[in-house]
Amino acid sequence: MKTLKYILFLLLIAIIGLAIYIAVQPNEFNFSRSKVIKAPTPMVFNKVNDFKNWPDFSPWIEQEPNATLTYGDKTSGVDGNYAWKGEVLGEGNMKTTALEKDKSISQHISFIKPFESESDINWTFENTLEGTKVTWGMKGKQDFMTKMYTTFAGSIEENTAPDFERGLFKLDSIIDTDMKKYSIAVDGIKEYGGGFYLYKTTNANSTNISSKMGQQFGTIMSYIAQNNIQMAGMPLTVYNEMNNENGSIIMSNGIPVTEKIILPSGSEISCGYIPKTKSLKTTLLGNYTYLPKAWEKTMAYLGENNLEASDIKPFEIYTTDPGEVPNPADWRTEIYVPVK
């Protein structure tokens, strides 16, 4: 009997000691994980901001893809929300409470089943030289029952952080896939309306054409702004010479204007004119890196349909402003090859 009392006494001491140990554990938890995604910050922000995109990268929905998801009247921005219910996921909901466009998103998550708890979710988006640094964090309070659970099962960070890492990996993957989408359509013979344009001419090759275009357009845009000249369309490039053997080109990068502009003697900028003309038109929807494929398809169409290019030089028009459309897959470029 004395032995039993002694054992019970030791057990009581152990229980009290364990309770004290659990009670002195941190009252809050706070952790985050980060990943650099090679994509424009607005594109990454927009993907995370809309809960309808979450099934694509959520590590939890991946575990139960058939779970029931319910979306609120708003799914993006402040008050955007959705809820889930499933055998594996349990039941809960999430709501966006605050955001700073392209910089941060704050959310509140509530778990209802199999246990009740609440936490705060925080996202930050930082533009870097390598891309967008995305940080996904979670913080909340730990009551006694939560402390007891984490004492035996491991901390919330140990249990949840791997899911955050998986989610960021999937987010990176789907954005990369989205950015690589493209389509090329030969639209056939169309009539280009013609007009004046201010331009600069230079030579380039496949390695420096993008940087040279940027410099050329920047100089022309600056001149237009300084002289209050009215633009009449989106930037274009006229290809004066194209050497298929070594990939070198001579190009004129220009901005359409409403009328002929008389420029001062010695100006590095010139004013040109493209007449109204019939052209074979091709439309590329996608990154500019796919333009060689679009040109290849255009030239093949010319040959297959016995079309002969005229003396008017071929040109491209960049109808989408990348500053307003972050996803390269949505950039629209029109190719015109004037024909006889």
Side-chain angles (χ1 to χ4, degrees):
M1 190 68 177
K2 289 183 179 180
T3 301
L4 178 61
K5 288 183 179 179
Y6 182 71
I7 292 174
L8 290 175
F9 178 72
L10 291 178
L11 182 61
L12 178 61
I13 292 176
I15 292 174
I16 294 174
L18 178 61
I20 293 173
Y21 175 79
I22 293 173
V24 298
Q25 295 306 300
N27 293 323
E28 297 180 345
F29 67 90
N30 189 350
F31 69 91
S32 66
R33 292 295 185 269
S34 299
K35 184 175 182 60
V36 175
I37 297 178
K38 295 180 179 180
T41 299
M43 184 178 176
V44 184
F45 177 90
N46 291 340
K47 183 69 71 173
V48 175
N49 186 36
D50 193 337
F51 285 123
K52 286 187 177 180
N53 296 325
W54 279 54
D56 295 335
F57 66 86
S58 169
W60 303 289
I61 296 176
E62 182 181 32
Q63 297 172 19
E64 189 176 4
N66 295 323
T68 301
L69 304 180
T70 305
Y71 297 100
D73 293 334
K74 289 186 65 177
T75 59
S76 63
V78 176
D79 293 331
N81 64 93
Y82 89 115
W84 61 87
K85 188 174 183 180
E87 294 182 4
V88 176
L89 296 182
E91 186 175 349
N93 59 75
M94 186 181 292
K95 181 178 182 179
T96 298
T97 57
L99 63 77
E100 186 176 0
K101 185 172 174 56
D102 298 336
K103 292 185 178 180
S104 65
I105 299 175
S106 298
Q107 300 163 330
H108 188 75
I109 186 169
S110 299
F111 297 97
I112 301 172
K113 293 180 180 178
F115 55 84
E116 293 187 7
S117 69
E118 297 185 4
S119 302
D120 292 319
I121 302 293
N122 299 289
W123 295 83
T124 59
F125 308 86
E126 181 184 353
N127 188 24
T128 70
L129 293 176
E130 294 78 20
T132 301
K133 181 180 179 182
V134 185
T135 300
W136 187 6
M138 184 177 188
K139 64 180 181 179
K141 297 184 180 301
Q142 297 192 122
D143 57 20
F144 184 83
M145 294 302 294
T146 302
K147 293 179 184 180
M148 183 170 65
Y149 172 82
T150 57
T151 297
F152 296 102
S155 69
I156 291 178
E157 179 173 2
E158 290 173 337
N159 283 279
T160 310
D163 292 328
F164 278 39
E165 292 167 358
R166 172 64 179 168
L168 290 172
F169 171 82
K170 292 189 67 179
L171 180 64
D172 184 11
S173 179
I174 63 171
I175 287 178
D176 181 65
T177 299
D178 285 350
M179 291 176 64
K180 290 179 178 177
K181 293 177 181 177
Y182 76 98
S183 64
I184 299 170
V186 178
D187 304 313
I189 302 299
K190 304 293 180 182
E191 186 171 76
Y192 177 73
F196 292 100
Y197 64 103
L198 294 181
Y199 70 92
K200 281 191 68 180
T201 299
T202 188
N203 59 358
N205 55 49
S206 59
T207 62
N208 63 15
I209 185 171
S210 295
S211 61
K212 284 203 171 186
M213 278 188 177
Q215 294 169 5
Q216 299 269 91
F217 287 132
T219 300
I220 299 168
M221 290 294 293
S222 178
Y223 183 85
I224 286 175
Q226 291 172 5
N227 292 274
N228 297 316
I229 297 172
Q230 186 175 351
M231 293 173 51
M234 297 299 288
L236 57 82
T237 293
V238 177
Y239 291 97
N240 304 303
E241 292 184 20
M242 303 174 73
N243 190 320
N244 294 327
E245 293 183 2
N246 59 22
S248 64
I249 63 171
I250 297 177
M251 63 181 180
S252 297
N253 309 111
I255 306 289
V257 291
T258 57
E259 59 185 355
K260 183 176 182 179
I261 305 297
I262 306 300
L263 294 123
S265 177
S267 173
E268 61 178 345
I269 297 173
S270 303
C271 184
Y273 180 75
I274 300 176
K276 185 176 181 179
T277 180
K278 289 192 306 179
S279 300
L280 174 61
K281 178 186 176 185
T282 298
T283 301
L284 165 67
L285 194 63
N287 201 316
Y288 301 137
T289 54
Y290 296 112
L291 276 169
K293 293 180 179 291
W295 275 101
E296 182 180 347
K297 192 169 184 177
T298 302
M299 301 312 290
Y301 186 95
L302 278 173
E304 293 166 0
N305 292 273
N306 298 316
L307 295 171
E308 186 178 353
S310 73
D311 295 333
I312 302 172
K313 300 300 183 181
F315 55 96
E316 298 169 345
I317 300 178
Y318 314 106
T319 65
T320 305
D321 182 354
E324 296 180 359
V325 181
N327 188 353
D330 296 326
W331 296 351
R332 183 185 182 92
T333 305
E334 296 174 351
I335 294 174
Y336 290 88
V337 179
V339 295
K340 294 181 178 179

